[in-house]
Amino acid sequence: MQQLNQLSASEAARRLAVREITAEQLTRACLARIEEREAAVGAWIHIDPDAALAQARQLDAGPVRGPLHGLPLGVKDLIDTADMPTAYGSPVYAGHRPRADAACVALARTAGALILGKTVTTEFAWFHPGKTANPHNPLHTPGGSSSGSAAAVADCMVPLAYGTQTAGSVIRPASYCGIVGYKPTHGTLPRAGIKPLSDSLDTLGTLTRTVADAALFVSAVSGRDLVPRPLAQPPRVGLCRTHEWNAARPETAVAMENAATALGRAGAKLTEITLPQIFAEVTQAQIDIMNYEIYAALACERLQHYAGLSDKLKQLLDNAQRCDAARYDAAQALVESCRRELDEVFADADVLLAPSAPGEAPAGLDATGDPIFCRMWTVLHVPAINLPCCLGPQGLPLGVQVIGRRGDDARALAVAAWAHHRLAQR
């Protein structure tokens, strides 16, 4: 029998709306799962069961507030919460209590969500990891920087969680943990109240177990109607291995082939897409933009709290300062040229299918993996959705990305929902 904490967000929301289940029952089920598994997974940096249950009882005592009514939500510890500490993954901010919720938290509360707790992030959402382990094998990384959010959703501790992506911080952990990660078009969700790293790149996204759940969540917060509807006909899918394909391990090549075969059998029109040569430079441009902007964004921490930073972060900052304004401007110009090429790239495809990560989650918890297959799509500002595809040779999940046109999130989600169903049937 399926436990309440295992319900999809969409199914739980339906039952909550008709009072078939209560928010308190669902919250207790999530808290029980956390109590059972948190010692092994380490997804949470702050949990207050009494406060969570008080929220649940308040929701149960009143009218249905909105489409997220009663759904427990994990909030990445990069995102401000007025009633919970927010440390941005750093001891420098231990015990920090923001005076206000981030906009995305306030909007989720308005739509009825219950803020269950704060999930682990890497230090300032860069590369130095926290305590979280992969729920499929605790000897492997869950990915980052949205480590705790991905692990908590994958382990059925919570149906919904916020993540952020500056390079690959939603898509990569979703791939490693075997769930749906959705990075919307840049700017779709508000970033006010989220610790800024890179204004050109930072994107608020979601971790869920189904595409419908991701669409429900983002629709409720953004005010857009993104709920997937049945496709009138099978989609046109462009197979795009990208200029970074040499970084793909054998299991990722197999995942791409398996996904293409399954979607082709289901009727998708498949086309091989070769990106123009200029796109070979986009990944380095993303790195340059990220370095330049993060070096500025963490100026206070560099100048006033340097001793409290990890050695890894200090090294990253030392490297970042080498990107000067001229190099940054050239990177931005190149990216803008590539954005203008996107209409031609998508001329014969509704979406692109691309790798999510080089392979399975690497062993060890001292690093979070390589975002090489995500950087380009982040800097191009297009929507990206990770879909679990298959298992690799070590029995760990592998994902593929569905990439849409910039601003065309509704179609990307509709195709992703169609594809997720076909991949799950394999």
Side-chain angles (χ1 to χ4, degrees), residues 4 9 12-17 19 21-28 30 52 55-60 62-73 108-116 158-160:
L4 292 183
R14 184 193 68 79
R15 296 191 189 186
L16 286 160
R19 308 295 193 180
I21 62 173
T22 67
E24 183 173 356
Q25 288 172 331
L26 179 56
T27 302
R28 287 188 181 278
C30 290
Q55 287 184 71
R57 295 186 191 107
Q58 185 177 29
L59 287 164
D60 288 334
V64 173
R65 291 191 183 180
L68 304 182
H69 179 85
L71 291 179
L73 169 62
R109 290 190 202 269
T110 301
L114 182 155
I115 310 303
L116 189 63
V158 69
L160 304 170

Side-chain angles (χ1 to χ4, degrees), residues 3 94 133 419:
Q3 301 297 311

Side-chain angles (χ1 to χ4, degrees), residues 85-418:
T86 305
Y88 314 122
S90 171
V92 167
Y93 287 96
H96 171 60
R97 298 297 291 260
R99 297 185 63 183
D101 283 338
C104 64
V105 174
L107 289 166
R109 290 190 202 269
T110 301
L114 182 155
I115 310 303
L116 189 63
K118 303 300 288 289
T119 57
V120 173
T121 177
T122 61
E123 184 183 23
F124 298 115
W126 217 349
F127 284 117
H128 183 65
K131 63 179 180 177
T132 310
N134 193 305
H136 298 276
N137 185 333
L139 299 179
H140 290 250
T141 180
S145 62
S146 304
S147 313
S149 289
V153 170
D155 208 50
C156 296
M157 295 176 173
V158 69
L160 304 170
Y162 274 129
T164 62
Q165 179 156 312
T166 305
S169 295
V170 168
I171 297 299
R172 186 169 82 264
S175 180
Y176 288 169
C177 292
I179 58 172
V180 173
Y182 170 37
K183 181 201 77 67
T185 295
H186 185 263
T188 298
L189 294 175
R191 290 177 290 152
I194 302 175
K195 177 68 173 172
L197 296 177
S198 170
D199 189 59
S200 297
L201 303 171
D202 291 347
T203 309
L204 178 62
T206 63
L207 288 308
T208 60
R209 292 191 290 274
T210 73
V211 177
D213 290 356
L216 169 72
F217 188 9
V218 177
S219 294
V221 175
S222 70
R224 293 171 169 83
D225 182 6
L226 300 175
V227 176
R229 291 172 175 79
L231 300 178
Q233 57 190 16
R236 301 173 303 158
V237 177
L239 305 179
C240 184
R241 291 171 177 82
T242 80
H243 292 286
E244 289 69 43
W245 184 245
N246 286 341
R249 294 203 291 271
E251 61 263 33
T252 287
V254 170
M256 283 288 289
E257 292 300 325
N258 286 349
T261 298
L263 300 185
R265 285 176 178 167
K269 180 183 177 182
L270 304 178
T271 305
E272 293 282 349
I273 300 292
T274 300
L275 295 173
Q277 186 58 35
I278 190 175
F279 282 75
E281 303 176 52
V282 174
T283 292
Q284 184 59 53
Q286 189 276 342
I287 293 170
D288 290 342
I289 292 167
M290 183 172 172
N291 281 340
Y292 185 87
E293 293 187 351
I294 288 183
Y295 190 74
L298 295 181
C300 176
E301 289 77 15
R302 283 191 293 109
L303 298 174
Q304 298 184 19
H305 305 288
Y306 191 77
L309 306 181
S310 70
D311 290 341
K312 178 66 172 179
L313 181 58
K314 291 174 184 176
Q315 180 184 10
L316 290 167
L317 288 169
D318 286 346
N319 292 334
Q321 70 176 325
R322 298 171 189 161
C323 183
D324 60 20
R327 185 169 175 177
Y328 171 77
D329 291 344
Q332 289 282 22
L334 183 139
V335 168
E336 189 55 41
S337 295
C338 289
R339 289 179 187 143
R340 290 194 292 268
E341 296 272 353
L342 285 175
D343 284 344
E344 183 62 26
V345 169
F346 280 95
D348 296 317
D350 299 313
V351 299
L352 306 181
L353 190 74
S356 291
E360 294 172 285
L365 302 183
D366 57 346
T368 59
D370 189 346
I372 190 168
F373 285 112
C374 305
R375 290 182 183 275
M376 175 172 63
W377 308 118
T378 302
V379 76
L380 292 176
H381 292 172
V382 294
I385 304 119
N386 177 75
L387 301 181
C389 177
C390 56
L391 298 179
Q394 299 182 81
L396 294 172
L398 291 162
V400 292
Q401 288 188 82
V402 171
I403 309 294
R405 292 175 173 86
R406 187 162 46 155
D408 197 14
D409 292 53
R411 175 157 48 175
L413 286 163
V415 175
W418 179 91

